[in-house]
Amino acid sequence: MALLVLYAAVKLFGLYYGDDWEGLYESITGYGLGGAAGGLFGRVGGGIYTKAADVGADLVGKVERNIPEDDPRNPAVIADNVGDNVGDIAGMGSDLFGSYAESTCAALFVASISSFGADHDFAAVAYPLLISSAGLIACLITTLFATDFHRVKTDGAVAPALKLQLLISTALMTVAALAVTFAALPTEFTMFDFGEVKRVKNWHLFFCVAIGLWAGLAIGFTTEYFTSNAYSPVRDVADSCRTGAATNVIFGLALGYKSVIVPVFAMAVSIYVSFTLASIYGIAVAALGMLSTVATGLTIDAYGPISDNAGGIAEMACMSHRIRQRTDALDAAGNTTAAIGKGFAIGSAALVSLALFGAFVSRAGLTAINVLSPKVFVGLIVGAMLPYWFSAMTMRSVGSAALKMVEEVRRQFAAVPGLAEGLATPDYARCVGISTDASLREMMPPGALVLLAPLLAGTFFGVQTLAGLLAGALVSGVQVAISASNSGGAWDNAKKYIEAGASDHAKSLGPKGSEAHKAAVIGDTIGDPLKDTSGPSLNILIKLMAVESLVFAPFFAAHGGLIFR
């Protein structure tokens, strides 16, 4: 759908612009802005919805009442299961669509001001669309390996099979990218390089796509190492629950900070290589390479919420314990793959933002950005602060909504006779209403921050300050997003590791209801807004600010700087 609508928009707008390809593809950047705005409300609103319900259900149900997860006696259980769809399915989908739309629009615009646009070579300009098309075919073929060639037969084979999907799609896409590159691009061409002309060969762009692809895989597998209970980092977090919630939180935070190292190096290498080979266009194409397997990424990401809801239905329908054990095993694998999906989303957001930043610099007529300039440095330091401000808003939103949810669940347990014994039916609708109202109301302040910051910076302080603002937000936002998402994922899987009791080490930590398990639940509750609201939403912040700046760049260049001229 994303590919088809974008292609239709290019053809439709082309009827108006004719031979003015620069104007055509500059207007197409609005498609990326629309995708980013939709992603903002899907991610932030969906994250607030799901975590308000999840935190409220867990705190009263598991910790206070000591009843199982998704128990039908818990009034917040329906809102929790609905939230999995709203936050994890719709939110992730809108986030990755925004990344796809923005990276494609950035690549198309940069291509239009190169020799491709001057020669009116549509096949070469449409290279980003062809890469995405090849990715769809590669992902369709990858699906056959799970459904026909290599079927999963045991619980333990679920997570490896999902990771194999990612590996196969990446390998197939590498071959497909090679074929598309040599079929669509001329042997040599020129690209814009901040006021200079850079000569690029077609195989340079293939390497840009390939390095984006494999950097994404490295980020995904690193994320899996730090968030899967099959490896030592999560087991260390689970072991720390022996001494209470405080040590669990300390270990989880340390894990999140440490997990930033490899993804940042992977992004740094891909950025350096792709920029050296093909300037800003190379970075845009590397981002597209990372997103070319987005169909497989969405598949393995959606696996977790589907398994989680299946377990919830089994619990609410009072099905046998054996079925719940199976869905929990699937859910644990799904949690890991969801974390891999978040890693992909964050990595691609960084590359997309940098490509959009380069396109903004080009469109605003800047040839250099001097960090020692007061205008730039002011923007840089304020931009680095914005992800923290944004995270504070979203976490407080989850906290206030969860507080109302907890109060409502407690009220129903106290006011409804026989509810705790399962003799009465809870009022699920009131809890659904609390999450719905909170998500719609609380998404507005962080949304306004993201939308207004670049407009105010560009209008009152000029394009130099705005460039610093975008750079600061990108550098700071990536670090905070990765650490928040991975800490939350580790706390979640540490809790599931204790609950499953599948190894002697897990059994030694105690059964459900033990002190270690309660400490793990508290850690999981703290991590919920980090991994499903604040962390993933930061992708939207850095992408939306960049694409909005690109769309308004001509206005800022002509009329911006009312204070700093």
Side-chain angles (χ1 to χ4, degrees):
M1 285 292 291
L3 186 64
L4 183 64
V5 174
L6 180 54
Y7 178 74
V10 169
K11 287 298 184 182
L12 186 63
F13 278 55
L15 297 176
Y16 173 78
Y17 282 94
D19 290 337
D20 181 12
W21 280 26
E22 183 177 345
L24 165 63
Y25 289 105
E26 184 181 344
S27 68
I28 290 296
T29 57
Y31 183 81
L33 178 59
L40 171 71
F41 299 119
R43 253 309 183 196
V44 177
I48 293 170
Y49 186 108
T50 183
K51 291 302 112 181
D54 197 0
V55 171
D58 282 355
L59 284 179
V60 181
K62 290 183 182 178
V63 178
E64 295 181 7
R65 291 284 172 171
N66 199 26
I67 61 176
E69 188 171 6
D70 298 314
D71 192 293
R73 292 172 290 177
N74 192 330
V77 71
I78 298 292
D80 185 11
N81 285 328
V82 172
D84 286 333
N85 282 330
V86 174
D88 294 332
I89 300 291
M92 173 59 86
S94 61
D95 183 1
L96 287 177
F97 165 67
S99 288
Y100 166 78
E102 291 155 315
S103 61
T104 308
C105 291
L108 289 171
F109 173 71
V110 175
S112 72
I113 58 176
S114 71
S115 61
F116 298 158
D119 298 339
H120 288 77
D121 186 347
F122 183 74
V125 171
Y127 178 70
L129 302 179
L130 295 171
I131 287 291
S132 298
S133 304
L136 280 175
I137 297 170
C139 292
L140 283 170
I141 296 172
T142 302
T143 304
L144 298 176
F145 283 87
T147 57
D148 294 276
F149 303 147
H150 190 264
R151 292 188 178 184
V152 176
K153 297 179 180 178
T154 62
D155 292 348
V158 174
L162 292 172
K163 286 194 294 180
L164 184 64
Q165 293 270 297
L166 207 55
L167 189 59
I168 292 170
S169 63
T170 302
L172 289 175
M173 184 57 210
T174 304
V175 176
L178 184 64
V180 169
T181 300
F182 284 96
L185 298 178
T187 305
E188 190 173 277
F189 45 89
T190 57
M191 301 300 302
F192 173 81
D193 188 14
F194 294 106
E196 299 179 3
V197 174
K198 184 180 183 69
R199 301 198 71 80
V200 181
K201 297 183 183 299
N202 54 10
W203 60 267
H204 289 171
L205 286 188
F206 163 70
F207 275 110
C208 293
V209 174
I211 198 167
L213 259 173
W214 290 94
L217 193 69
I219 293 170
F221 280 179
T222 302
T223 304
E224 188 244 355
Y225 173 75
F226 280 101
T227 56
S228 170
N229 55 31
Y231 303 105
S232 58
V234 170
R235 295 190 177 191
D236 289 342
V237 172
D239 200 56
S240 70
C241 295
R242 295 177 190 273
T243 50
T247 47
N248 181 27
V249 171
I250 291 168
F251 269 70
L253 288 174
L255 178 149
Y257 296 150
K258 188 177 180 181
S259 70
V260 172
I261 299 170
V262 173
V264 165
F265 275 113
M267 285 185 281
V269 170
S270 62
I271 288 167
Y272 180 80
V273 173
S274 56
F275 186 85
T276 302
L277 291 175
S279 191
I280 286 297
Y281 189 62
I283 295 175
V285 169
L288 271 174
M290 192 177 288
L291 287 165
S292 60
T293 55
V294 68
T296 298
L298 275 173
T299 299
I300 65 171
D301 184 77
Y303 189 93
I306 292 169
S307 303
D308 192 5
N309 271 2
I313 292 169
E315 186 72 42
M316 287 186 284
C318 300
M319 299 174 80
S320 71
H321 181 62
R322 178 175 55 87
I323 293 174
R324 185 59 200 247
Q325 282 182 321
R326 287 180 176 176
T327 58
D328 281 348
L330 301 180
D331 188 23
N335 266 340
T336 301
T337 57
I340 292 174
K342 291 184 180 74
F344 260 95
I346 294 167
S348 64
L351 294 182
V352 168
S353 299
L354 190 56
L356 291 166
F357 177 74
F360 160 75
V361 169
S362 165
R363 193 65 190 88
L366 297 174
T367 55
I369 300 171
N370 182 9
V371 179
L372 295 178
S373 166
K375 292 181 183 180
V376 177
F377 193 79
V378 165
L380 195 68
I381 197 166
V382 172
M385 173 272 297
L386 288 179
Y388 293 92
W389 189 0
F390 181 84
S391 298
M393 283 183 169
T394 53
M395 290 195 70
R396 182 177 176 82
S397 297
V398 171
S400 61
L403 183 64
K404 294 177 183 177
M405 189 70 72
V406 167
E407 291 172 348
E408 174 59 25
V409 174
R410 284 175 176 167
R411 184 196 68 79
Q412 290 199 34
F413 272 115
V416 180
L419 179 58
E421 295 77 24
L423 303 175
T425 302
D427 186 358
Y428 299 116
R430 286 182 67 90
C431 293
V432 171
I434 290 172
S435 275
T436 305
D437 293 343
S439 65
L440 294 173
R441 184 177 60 253
E442 299 288 347
M443 76 166 76
M444 289 188 283
L449 174 68
V450 177
L451 290 167
L452 292 177
L455 290 177
L456 294 175
T459 302
F460 290 102
F461 301 101
V463 290
Q464 293 274 358
T465 302
L466 178 54
L469 187 85
L470 297 177
L474 168 60
V475 172
S476 170
V478 168
Q479 325 289 330
V480 178
I482 294 174
S483 62
S485 294
N486 289 347
S487 287
W491 279 318
D492 192 356
N493 272 347
K495 177 202 70 175
K496 283 184 166 57
Y497 176 71
I498 295 174
E499 289 177 346
S503 66
D504 292 337
H505 176 247
K507 290 175 184 174
S508 70
L509 297 173
K512 288 185 180 182
S514 65
E515 291 305 312
H517 178 248
K518 287 182 179 178
V521 170
I522 291 172
D524 176 36
T525 306
I526 295 170
D528 275 338
L530 287 174
K531 72 179 173 68
D532 288 326
T533 308
S534 296
S537 297
L538 286 171
N539 304 341
I540 311 295
L541 177 137
I542 59 178
K543 292 184 299 184
L544 182 53
M545 286 176 59
V547 73
E548 185 182 17
S549 300
L550 173 59
V551 171
F552 286 94
F555 172 78
F556 295 146
H559 307 291
L562 297 179
I563 295 178
F564 286 166
R565 283 287 185 185

